[in-house]
Amino acid sequence: MSISRTIARPLLASTFLIGATHALKHSDVMAQRAETVTDRLVPLVRKAVPGLPQDPQTLVKVNAGVQLGAALGLATGRAPRTCATVLAASLVPTTLAGHRFWEADDDASAQQQRLHFAKNLSLLGGLVIAAGDTDGKPGVAWRTRHLARTAKREARREAKLVSARVR
């Protein structure tokens, strides 16, 4: 692993470790803010995951636990692509629930929430990059194409050998 990955992954994960810890400690307050999003998302997600809790406070705790686990995995380099993908997926509802700048009462609050919203968009961009980072190794798409070309070449070679034997 390169030195930039060794440094970048824990830095990217740090905000999730802090945010998830805060969410666990203050899940009651966070649940009030999350309710507008959970009321819309839970019915949709429950079609795919029937056992999903409906209580916003429980959902905040689950989201925080998922973020803690994925952030630790990203920071330590254990399944970093999967962890980055999980963090990206959890960041979207977190951002929509926590930084609703369009509903702010005053300009200062709206500006603060807009700044946090933009920060989360930046984090999302970093997570997308981290999720696609193959650490210098060929990605799945390249490996699949390479395997298909190799198989095709081998099949032609075998076909020539068989046709030469038949003659």
Side-chain angles (χ1 to χ4, degrees):
M1 180 169 25
S2 72
I3 190 74
S4 62
R5 287 180 184 90
T6 303
I7 294 169
R9 288 176 179 160
L11 289 174
L12 186 55
S14 66
T15 196
F16 293 97
L17 293 170
I18 293 166
T21 303
H22 176 78
L24 284 173
K25 288 180 181 176
H26 305 285
S27 62
D28 52 342
V29 174
M30 303 300 276
Q32 291 173 352
R33 293 169 70 185
E35 200 165 357
T36 56
V37 173
T38 60
D39 287 349
R40 291 181 180 173
L41 286 181
V42 168
L44 298 173
V45 177
R46 282 188 71 117
K47 292 176 184 175
V49 184
L52 184 74
Q54 290 181 308
D55 173 44
Q57 189 168 3
T58 304
L59 291 168
V60 165
K61 289 178 181 179
V62 167
N63 186 53
V66 166
Q67 286 185 345
L68 277 174
L72 287 171
L74 180 62
T76 59
R78 289 182 174 80
R81 295 177 70 193
T82 302
C83 291
T85 302
V86 168
L87 287 171
S90 74
L91 184 60
V92 173
T94 300
T95 301
L96 292 174
H99 304 298
R100 302 173 69 78
F101 63 88
W102 54 91
E103 292 179 355
D105 295 333
D106 58 274
D107 287 341
S109 177
Q111 181 60 28
Q112 186 75 9
Q113 291 306 320
R114 196 175 294 116
L115 178 66
H116 287 298
F117 191 90
K119 173 204 46 119
N120 283 10
L121 290 179
S122 299
L123 283 170
L124 184 59
L127 290 168
V128 168
I129 291 169
D133 180 25
T134 60
D135 205 14
K137 299 172 189 147
V140 173
W142 181 88
R143 285 186 264 173
T144 303
R145 285 191 308 271
H146 181 71
L147 184 63
R149 280 193 299 263
T150 303
K152 190 176 180 181
R153 192 170 41 244
E154 287 296 316
R156 275 193 233 127
R157 189 170 126 310
E158 289 296 322
K160 285 180 184 178
L161 288 173
V162 168
S163 68
R165 287 183 196 151
V166 171
R167 290 183 194 165

